[in-house]
Amino acid sequence: MAFRPGNHDRAWNDPPVFSYQQGDAKPEENVNTARKTLLNKRVAFPLSGGSTTSQTPATSLPPIGLPPPAVNLTTSPQSTSVLLPSEKPSGTPMMETREQLESSLATVSRILVDSLTNYVESEKQEDFNKRLQHLFSNWKDGKLNLDIRQRLETMCTSLEKREFTKAENVRVALAVDYTSECASWIMVIKNIVTQMETKQVEL
């Protein structure tokens, strides 16, 4: 700080006169200058051509506290038709009178007993006959369904006609389809068919 050039003789009440240089700037003026410089500063334009902030896709979440949407699990009903052994393919039950049952039983028992007596060894006949009587008893008491009875009648008719292949096929089908019902006597019939076919070939 220096006195302004001119008259250096001042009165006692003259206010001091100062000469300010550039380096003696007030702090407030420096702050203002710095603020002006920041406001006037240019910012480089981005060269990427797009926004630098990445946007994440918004996901739609179900409201909290609400039950999940119901899922329709209903399936179309499938119609299944099961044919019982004693029914026709059309589904109409086949009726059998008492006379028909006794007549078919008489035919089957006659053919089997005659075949047993004429073609099976004598030492086996007693045991085989007991098993056949068990078959006839179940037949008479209604413990054999209509399909088993009809197959037995077809098989015995084939035996009487010496159609052994057909008779054996019917016997095998019975053993497969009705294992528990035929377990006590099906092997007796197998032995009868085998012995009849063997002796028929010998003749």
Side-chain angles (χ1 to χ4, degrees), residues 178-189:
Y178 302 100
T179 304
S180 59
E181 292 88 339
C182 306
S184 60
W185 43 264
I186 195 67
M187 295 306 297
V188 175
I189 296 178

Side-chain angles (χ1 to χ4, degrees), residues 162-179:
R162 301 300 188 267
E163 297 175 354
F164 302 113
T165 302
K166 182 178 180 180
E168 178 62 13
N169 291 337
V170 175
R171 186 202 68 79
V172 171
L174 274 173
V176 172
D177 296 341
Y178 302 100
T179 304

Side-chain angles (χ1 to χ4, degrees), residues 10-134:
R10 296 182 294 109
W12 66 270
N13 58 350
D14 289 337
V17 179
F18 301 98
S19 177
Y20 295 96
Q21 298 179 0
Q22 186 174 0
D24 297 333
K26 295 181 181 181
E28 292 80 4
E29 293 178 357
N30 293 334
V31 174
N32 294 334
T33 304
R35 291 180 180 176
K36 291 180 181 179
T37 302
L38 292 176
L39 292 176
N40 295 334
K41 185 177 180 181
R42 293 187 177 183
V43 180
F45 187 78
L47 300 178
S48 61
S51 175
T52 57
T53 59
S54 61
Q55 297 180 357
T56 57
T59 57
S60 176
L61 297 177
I64 299 176
L66 295 179
V71 180
N72 185 11
L73 299 178
T74 305
T75 57
S76 58
Q78 298 179 354
S79 59
T80 57
S81 58
V82 179
L83 298 180
L84 298 178
S86 59
E87 291 184 350
K88 294 181 180 179
S90 60
T92 304
M94 299 177 64
M95 304 303 296
E96 186 181 34
T97 62
R98 187 68 181 178
E99 290 77 10
Q100 291 174 336
L101 186 145
E102 292 178 355
S103 176
S104 58
L105 173 59
T107 300
V108 170
S109 61
R110 175 181 58 80
I111 295 175
L112 288 180
V113 171
D114 290 348
S115 301
L116 175 65
T117 303
N118 296 328
Y119 295 96
V120 177
E121 297 87 342
S122 57
E123 59 271 16
K124 296 180 180 180
Q125 290 184 8
E126 183 178 0
D127 179 60
F128 284 2
N129 186 61
K130 290 180 179 180
R131 294 176 181 271
L132 289 179
Q133 293 302 321
H134 181 68

